[in-house]
Amino acid sequence: MNKIKKISFFIVVFCFVFLGIKNTFANEKELKTIYSAYFEKSELVKGWSNIVEDNTKLWYQNDYPLDFKIGLINQDKNLTGTISYEVKPLNKEWISKKENLQEIGTYISKDGIEAIKIKLTGDLNKLYDVYYSVLQNGEFGEWIKNGEVSGEENKGKIIYGLRISVIKKGGGLPQESKVLASNKKEDKSKNFIIENKEDVTEDTGKKIALTYDDGPNPRLTNRLLDILKENNAKATFFVVGLNAKSNFDTLKRMYAEGHEIGNHTYAHKDLARQSRESRYEAIVSTNNIIKDAIGVYPKLIRPPYGSYNKETIDILKELSMSSILWNIDTLDWKHKDAQKIIDHVLKNAKDGDIVLMHDIHETTIRANEVLIKELINRGFELVSVSELSKNRAKIEVGQTYNSFKKK
Ligand code: NI
């Protein structure tokens, strides 16, 4: 190493170390709220909860807080002031102010709290806004700040959770709130609206095939497999060879858990618009990859874009394969909107349908967390494509199907 190299090496190292320290320092210095609530019924927490940090949704399923304590961390020693708070227990008067992690002492009443006011005092009140919102009526309400009342007073309704955040004046509203690990699942599904809940029927004869194309994606597909497993549901995956060849574990899991695996070509090119040779290669190489992963060749193919021609059919006949299209298209790849996927499928789902989705989009996976449960609630059995065809239509080699209705 010559001298110049040595010097520039040390400069680089120095910059990294310096920036690293500076960043840690900056984070430590940021004023934040910390808070805890007193719960009595939850299986997860009895008594005071763990203290959570700024902008976390503090709540537990099937429980409600009886008391709060709220404080601050990283307060600049040169700044006067603290955080103070008052609560209104259900059907009672406001309780006098407490501050800086003092317990309010309401948990003796056991009826819950209907509203809260939080304020900063001293210099802090001049430099920062404190925002807060309560979980009431099934959702976290809008952010309220600096001593205004959050929660409905005198309506007989209690608070189920709380979130608090401090922001420098002029910094706008708090970012999206953190969710407690134990609430993650519930919190996600809370964001979706299930329409026509009263239409739920118990017709157990209804079957539907959910199909997922373009994967596997190791992270998202495995999340989807978790959801299917939780709900004891089966599905069909039309995999792209290019993705499948580096994700044998995911394919093995699909197969082991009773799902069907189909071919979606090697590189997702339009089968009708390529030479005979490359068309053949796109199908056969993917069949081989699937066979290598799970030990059997796929019987089904979904042509990319639903596009195929007579020559494609000739190849399918030669390979003893059949083509599976769909009759419910979620367009999930286009709008990437979980609520739209849920709405579209629930509105259109009928016995014998084949639903097209893609397990490579986060929004599709989130939609399925709600959708799969709700389809089952509505009396559908979620089955693979081959299972759906049973007692309905024989899947013939070289033929194309887009649904399997009862005869
Ligand atoms: Ni596709």
Side-chain angles (χ1 to χ4, degrees), residues 103-326:
E103 298 172 16
I104 292 170
T106 53
Y107 60 84
I108 308 136
S109 81
K110 298 198 189 304
D111 293 328
I113 293 164
E114 58 180 49
I116 188 166
K117 295 191 262 192
I118 305 173
K119 262 183 92 163
L120 295 169
T121 60
D123 292 340
L124 293 180
N125 185 40
K126 290 177 202 138
L127 295 169
Y128 293 90
D129 288 317
V130 59
Y131 287 90
Y132 44 103
S133 111
V134 296
L135 174 59
Q136 205 174 39
N137 301 320
E139 58 183 2
F140 275 90
E142 61 184 272
W143 292 105
I144 299 290
K145 65 177 184 180
N146 303 337
E148 294 163 25
V149 176
S150 184
E152 293 183 12
E153 288 181 79
N154 307 318
K155 298 244 174 84
K157 290 175 179 169
I158 56 166
I159 290 173
Y160 287 86
L162 175 67
R163 55 178 174 168
I164 316 172
S165 183
V166 281
I167 305 269
K168 270 212 177 91
K169 292 260 183 214
L173 288 174
Q175 303 287 306
E176 199 180 329
S177 306
K178 291 183 237 32
V179 178
L180 291 178
S182 57
N183 288 337
K184 274 205 166 124
K185 233 164 69 194
E186 287 76 6
D187 200 74
K188 270 187 207 154
S189 52
K190 261 188 182 328
N191 297 328
F192 299 110
I193 305 147
I194 306 293
E195 287 181 342
N196 307 324
K197 261 229 136 147
E198 57 279 10
D199 285 346
V200 171
T201 61
E202 283 306 313
D203 175 3
T204 49
K206 291 193 293 186
K207 288 182 183 173
I208 197 163
L210 301 182
T211 67
Y212 305 94
D213 291 9
D214 296 3
N217 168 299
R219 187 173 64 87
L220 296 174
T221 306
N222 276 293
R223 260 177 63 195
L224 179 59
L225 287 167
D226 290 342
I227 301 167
L228 289 162
K229 195 174 181 182
E230 272 167 34
N231 292 285
N232 200 19
K234 305 296 177 227
T236 304
F237 293 86
F238 289 99
V239 300
V240 167
L242 207 50
N243 295 334
K245 72 174 179 185
S246 53
N247 286 298
F248 273 25
D249 284 349
T250 310
L251 261 75
K252 283 192 167 90
R253 182 178 171 195
M254 286 172 185
Y255 190 64
E257 293 180 357
H259 306 295
E260 187 160 26
I261 300 174
N263 183 328
H264 197 41
T265 75
Y266 184 76
H268 205 272
K269 288 185 186 143
D270 188 334
L271 286 169
R273 291 162 176 248
Q274 48 188 301
S275 68
R276 193 199 133 76
E277 213 168 61
S278 57
R279 184 182 301 122
Y280 194 84
E281 180 61 25
I283 299 172
V284 169
S285 63
T286 305
N287 279 356
N288 289 339
I289 289 166
I290 295 170
K291 166 78 161 46
D292 285 347
I294 63 167
V296 292
Y297 288 109
K299 292 262 169 225
L300 307 178
I301 185 169
R302 171 163 288 158
Y305 318 103
S307 166
Y308 59 97
N309 54 8
K310 171 150 188 329
E311 288 155 40
T312 311
I313 291 168
D314 292 342
I315 296 175
L316 296 184
K317 281 182 182 160
E318 194 182 313
L319 297 169
S320 295
M321 295 180 79
S322 314
S323 172
I324 303 294
L325 299 180
W326 57 87

Side-chain angles (χ1 to χ4, degrees), residues 207 327-328 348-354 388-389 391-393 402-407:
K207 288 182 183 173
N327 68 337
I328 294 184
N348 295 291
K350 284 181 288 298
D351 173 65
D353 287 342
I354 299 175
L388 183 65
S389 74
N391 303 320
R392 295 177 181 224
N402 60 12
S403 67
F404 292 100
K405 298 290 177 185
K406 275 179 190 157
K407 281 183 219 160

